Amino acid sequence: MTEALKLNRLLKEQGENSSYHHTSNKKDGASDLKKDMSSQRAMSLTSSPHELRRQVPERSGPDRKDDELVLTWNRIQESHMYQNKPLLPFEEWNIDFSELTVGTRVGIGFFAEVFRGMWNGTEVAIKVFLEQDLSAENMEDFCNEISILSRARHPNVILFLGACAKPPHLSMVTEYMEMGSLYHLIHVSGHKNRLSWPKRLNMLRDICRGLMCLHRMKIVHRDLKSANCLVNKRWTVKICDFGLSRIMTDASMRNSTSAGTPEWMAPELIRNEPFTEKCDIFSFGVIMWELYTLHRPWEGVPPERVIYAVANQGSRLELPEGPLGSLIADCWAEPNKRPSCEEILTRLLSNELSLYYK
């Protein structure tokens, strides 16, 4: 993906508070959604979901651009066979785009937008990859996200339900998280007063358990942040958005393209140095800081200034007092000195942490 496109998406993300936000707190969410969509079918989706509600007449005759997309897609898909298995090895995971009913947009990413929708009578989240952004690189990211997310089955990782793997309507379907992103809950919703310390501590444990599952599978998220942690109506937190994730093959990997969001990024990622799963530990430290203070990290500081300060000056956010501050400091140490998810979870489960901030 080009740096200009990434910057454009980043600015949109900061404007809309990213990834996934809560759109309704009504009890009857499914029936409310049906009314909201009022027969708006996914087949009427235009090249930009920003114009979702505008009906577009069907094109007649061959479309050269679509043909090129299909050729590129087929070439990429052939390169994403794992152990002689296709990208979607189970027929149940292949979803026809006409089966989807697309509703309100609830989030935006680097090259896709997320919608609340319906599939087979079930409320779901639909990640639609924008047609105008369907470069070969973005298609590879789409394949990468599916191959990783479909393998990670854990209560604290977003549940993959299937995908439409036919361009130009490349889409991915996951479970819908009613309360939206943790970022939205803390900084936008106006409900952060409902986040008691025990509830926040449970959220941190959820994220840590999900991250521990990923790391045991040799998966590095590379874009862990509060906007990529979703919350359901039972206040369970699940990690999402694996477009920038990678599977570890060596002791360390080199970052060939910029990845992550400046306020949460580990310095080694910013500097394009070799990285391990410990880059996610740094980001988790920022989330811990965020949930403790209930403030935006580096609020008011331009992203380019954050990048320079963290990567070149060793700057860090101000640490809270007590055992949590000590844990955060350890997460922000040099990569080889950062704790593992298992160590962090042990400390998050300790009585000391529960009692100190009671």
Side-chain angles (χ1 to χ4, degrees):
M1 190 191 324
T2 66
E3 294 303 315
L5 177 58
K6 286 184 179 179
L7 180 59
N8 181 46
R9 288 282 183 258
L10 178 59
L11 293 173
K12 283 185 178 181
E13 178 182 284
Q14 291 175 336
E16 300 194 21
N17 303 305
S18 189
S19 217
Y20 210 89
H21 56 264
H22 185 44
T23 58
S24 173
N25 57 5
K26 296 182 180 180
K27 292 182 179 179
D28 190 7
S31 61
D32 183 50
L33 177 63
K34 290 177 183 176
K35 292 178 183 177
D36 176 58
M37 290 185 288
S38 61
S39 78
Q40 173 63 48
R41 303 296 298 175
M43 286 298 288
S44 66
L45 190 66
T46 63
S47 60
S48 171
H50 287 282
E51 304 169 349
L52 183 63
R53 302 202 176 276
R54 189 182 73 189
Q55 296 293 327
V56 179
E58 292 187 5
R59 292 172 294 185
S60 60
D63 190 309
R64 184 173 179 180
K65 183 180 178 182
D66 282 358
D67 290 343
E68 291 175 355
L69 285 175
V70 170
L71 288 173
T72 303
W73 171 250
N74 289 340
R75 189 165 58 250
I76 291 170
Q77 209 172 16
E78 288 172 2
S79 68
H80 276 77
M81 305 285 280
Y82 292 93
Q83 298 176 347
N84 296 318
K85 293 182 180 179
L87 182 64
L88 298 171
F90 303 110
E91 183 59 34
E92 295 80 6
W93 286 356
N94 284 275
I95 297 176
D96 193 286
F97 200 63
S98 62
E99 299 173 15
L100 301 174
T101 306
V102 180
T104 310
R105 188 179 72 181
V106 295
I108 187 168
F110 281 137
F111 52 89
E113 294 180 334
V114 182
F115 294 85
R116 184 184 178 193
M118 296 289 290
W119 174 62
N120 286 345
T122 302
E123 192 171 20
V124 296
I126 305 169
K127 186 172 185 177
V128 181
F129 291 75
L130 305 182
E131 185 178 347
Q132 63 266 32
D133 294 341
L134 285 181
S135 65
E137 184 180 0
N138 293 346
M139 289 184 188
E140 287 179 355
D141 286 340
F142 173 72
C143 291
N144 180 67
E145 181 164 17
I146 289 177
S147 66
I148 288 176
L149 185 55
S150 62
R151 294 167 59 186
R153 317 299 274 189
H154 188 274
N156 298 116
V157 176
I158 197 73
L159 179 63
F160 173 80
L161 298 175
C164 172
K166 294 180 180 178
H169 297 303
L170 296 183
S171 310
M172 186 168 59
V173 181
T174 64
E175 64 181 312
Y176 181 71
M177 301 290 280
E178 298 88 352
M179 298 189 71
S181 75
L182 184 58
Y183 182 98
H184 185 267
L185 190 62
I186 299 172
H187 306 302
V188 183
S189 69
H191 296 311
K192 66 181 179 182
N193 59 323
R194 298 173 62 188
L195 293 171
S196 64
W197 174 244
K199 192 170 287 184
R200 283 183 265 172
L201 194 52
N202 282 332
M203 288 177 155
L204 289 175
R205 292 165 180 165
D206 280 350
I207 299 168
C208 190
R209 289 186 181 105
L211 193 60
M212 183 160 49
C213 165
L214 298 176
H215 288 179
R216 284 177 175 175
M217 296 178 66
K218 305 297 183 184
I219 296 170
V220 185
H221 191 283
R222 295 207 306 165
D223 195 21
L224 187 67
K225 56 185 177 181
S226 55
N228 285 338
C229 297
L230 305 182
V231 187
N232 66 17
K233 60 186 176 183
R234 292 177 294 278
W235 296 88
T236 301
V237 184
K238 306 189 182 191
I239 300 172
C240 72
D241 200 340
F242 292 82
L244 298 178
S245 301
R246 294 293 180 266
I247 297 176
M248 293 292 293
T249 54
D250 303 309
S252 63
M253 297 175 65
R254 184 163 293 277
N255 189 20
S256 58
T257 59
S258 65
T261 307
E263 293 82 354
W264 288 265
M265 280 177 75
E268 63 267 24
L269 285 183
I270 296 175
R271 295 192 293 257
N272 285 331
E273 294 175 350
F275 65 91
T276 68
E277 76 283 353
K278 293 300 180 73
C279 67
D280 291 337
I281 299 298
F282 184 97
S283 302
F284 183 58
V286 179
I287 295 175
M288 282 195 280
W289 181 94
E290 205 174 351
L291 263 174
Y292 175 76
T293 65
L294 299 182
H295 294 312
R296 290 179 174 89
W298 301 104
E299 187 166 19
V301 182
E304 61 273 15
R305 176 60 188 163
V306 174
I307 287 172
Y308 183 80
V310 171
N312 301 317
Q313 297 178 324
S315 300
R316 301 292 183 265
L317 295 159
E318 185 176 349
L319 290 168
E321 296 180 355
L324 188 68
S326 175
L327 179 55
I328 293 172
D330 289 346
C331 291
W332 292 345
E334 290 301 309
N336 62 342
K337 295 181 179 180
R338 294 172 198 162
S340 66
C341 287
E342 288 83 355
E343 295 173 70
I344 294 172
L345 185 59
T346 298
R347 292 166 71 174
L348 288 175
L349 290 168
S350 70
N351 289 330
E352 180 188 16
L353 203 59
S354 300
L355 294 172
Y356 187 91
Y357 300 102
K358 190 173 181 180

